[in-house]
Amino acid sequence: MGTNAAWWSLEALNAEVPDHHHDSTVENLDEIFDASDELRCFRKEHVPVAEIEKWQLHDDPDDAEGIAKIEALRRAIQAGVRLPAIVLVHVPGGPRFEQYSDPRYAGVYHLLEGRHRYNAAYQEQTPAIFAWVAHIGCCGGPGADLVAAESVG
């Protein structure tokens, strides 16, 4: 899979291509991984769809709006349209959640943003998806920054 070797912050990536869910993405990055949107831990990558944790797969048959979004994205994929990046965190040691025994949490990428795009790619059996991938304390990426900053202050 292709990887851009430059390290980016989520803040810089969002400035390049604004994400309308940026606030919740930043909140999840902070709460789950103790990292701020200023931490230069992201790379632009194409990652295998099969390696993303499956807990974000759509399973609500009553969510007509979500189903419609996924179907529209599937048509876009079929037409060869390049979709915006999803946001992932690489977790090579496995998930950092209590549900680690649940097979839906198996995978080396945790989805932070882009659920509908991920679902469309999964349903279309797309081999890889473009993503902004955080490498926090792995693959040469920096360690979490919020814990260190809070302990200093």
Side-chain angles (χ1 to χ4, degrees):
M1 300 294 112
T3 301
N4 178 309
W7 291 105
W8 297 76
S9 69
L10 185 59
E11 178 182 56
L13 290 167
N14 189 60
E16 181 179 289
V17 180
D19 168 17
H20 62 279
H21 294 291
H22 182 69
D23 290 342
S24 66
T25 304
V26 170
E27 183 178 309
N28 287 328
L29 188 63
D30 172 7
E31 289 180 7
I32 300 169
F33 297 98
D34 293 323
S36 74
D37 62 338
E38 296 175 4
L39 184 65
R40 295 176 60 85
C41 63
F42 283 87
R43 287 201 168 145
K44 297 177 181 180
E45 303 180 23
H46 287 87
V47 301
V49 172
E51 292 185 13
I52 299 171
E53 296 171 348
K54 292 171 182 47
W55 69 278
Q56 285 281 6
L57 288 177
H58 192 272
D59 61 357
D60 182 358
D62 297 326
D63 179 15
E65 183 180 339
I67 292 168
K69 285 181 183 179
I70 293 167
E71 287 305 313
L73 289 163
R74 288 182 72 183
R75 287 190 299 277
I77 291 169
Q78 293 165 1
V81 174
R82 282 183 45 122
L83 300 178
I86 63 173
V87 181
L88 302 171
V89 178
H90 186 223
V91 286
R96 299 179 186 192
F97 308 97
E98 293 175 10
Q99 305 92 333
Y100 62 89
S101 62
D102 185 328
R104 296 176 307 149
Y105 285 84
V108 296
Y109 294 97
H110 175 80
L111 182 68
L112 285 181
E113 201 282 316
R115 181 175 186 221
H116 296 109
R117 284 168 277 163
Y118 162 59
N119 274 268
Y122 183 87
Q123 290 179 15
E124 285 299 309
Q125 299 179 350
T126 305
I129 189 167
F130 182 60
W132 298 340
V133 182
H135 294 278
I136 304 167
C138 71
C139 307
D145 64 343
L146 291 181
V147 173
E150 290 171 355
S151 66
V152 172

